Amino acid sequence: GVHLHWVDPAVTAEVPLETTRPLGRENRQHPALVNYLLKLKKVEMLWNRTLGANDGVSPYSHVVLVRDDVHWLDDIRLADFPDPHAVYSMPLGFLCDRPHLRDHPAEHVFVIGGAVADRLLRAYREYFENPSPELNSVDSTEQYWQVLAWLLGIRWELVLRNRLPYLLSMHRNVGNSTVFCIRGISQATLRRPTASCVHPSLIRYPTCADL
């Protein structure tokens, strides 16, 4: 069955006065930091709810954490992610495009092995309670996840882009119309990809870059 849970819109996240973990932001009051901590809090709340529906035990082989603007182009094949003690993502960037930072994960989709999901999905609590100084020097939210996984003894594997066949999506105003479009790619990139890609026929909506 499918469980759909709406998070209370009144949920807030506090940034402690003494924080030394701006996650690459200029200061602790930066709106992007506050919003990101709120996101982590909601992820942990949803994970707690998921466990509660299963008597506090995770029965899953995989847990897929997906950003809300992800648009899937094709099926994801869980057999491509066999290690229950690892987390998988594509490198920073987008499908069909060569990574500029090959060692940094993209944060849009994580495929998390069932054996380690409960540890990794406590990222909000770890932000406040994990004393490791390594978390103070991360320079981005992507690096926060990667360093946290390392501290928790979780292996992180960056996979070929087409193993996670997604792009991002949005609505844009074009003239007097609102158009749903795919972002993170252009028709030029589709014609001449510089990394693993998908067949252009799977892009069924206009690309935002070409509107």
Side-chain angles (χ1 to χ4, degrees), residues 3 45-58 122:
H3 296 270
M45 290 172 65
L46 287 171
W47 178 242
N48 288 337
R49 181 82 176 208
T50 301
L51 291 181
N54 292 282
D55 299 320
V57 177
S58 172
R122 306 291 180 186

Side-chain angles (χ1 to χ4, degrees), residues 41-138:
K41 185 175 184 178
K42 289 179 178 179
V43 167
E44 192 161 330
M45 290 172 65
L46 287 171
W47 178 242
N48 288 337
R49 181 82 176 208
T50 301
L51 291 181
N54 292 282
D55 299 320
V57 177
S58 172
Y60 307 108
S61 63
H62 302 77
V63 176
V64 184
L65 182 62
V66 182
R67 210 170 90 167
D68 58 4
D69 57 351
V70 160
H71 179 81
W72 290 102
L73 304 170
D74 202 354
D75 292 339
I76 179 174
R77 297 165 179 80
L78 292 179
D80 288 342
F81 312 100
D83 187 350
H85 296 88
V87 55
Y88 301 87
S89 74
M90 69 163 64
L92 190 64
F94 294 99
L95 189 68
C96 310
D97 198 15
R98 180 186 297 111
H100 297 295
L101 295 171
R102 293 182 178 275
D103 296 331
H104 285 58
E107 197 186 353
H108 313 130
V109 174
F110 296 158
V111 180
I112 309 168
V116 295
D118 189 52
R119 280 185 282 157
L120 190 65
L121 293 175
R122 306 291 180 186
Y124 180 72
R125 184 179 66 188
E126 294 286 346
Y127 177 88
F128 294 96
E129 298 182 4
N130 192 312
S132 298
E134 288 87 351
L135 293 176
N136 299 342
S137 58
V138 299

Side-chain angles (χ1 to χ4, degrees), residues 164-208:
L164 290 169
Y166 70 84
L167 287 163
L168 303 185
S169 60
M170 64 183 295
H171 287 88
R172 283 188 60 182
N173 292 325
V174 180
N176 295 321
S177 302
T178 301
V179 177
F180 179 83
C181 61
I182 304 302
R183 66 189 186 94
I185 201 168
S186 66
Q187 290 299 322
T189 301
L190 273 175
R191 287 192 295 269
R192 294 189 175 184
T194 55
S196 57
C197 198
V198 296
H199 193 276
S201 65
L202 294 175
I203 311 292
R204 300 186 177 95
Y205 294 93
T207 52
C208 302

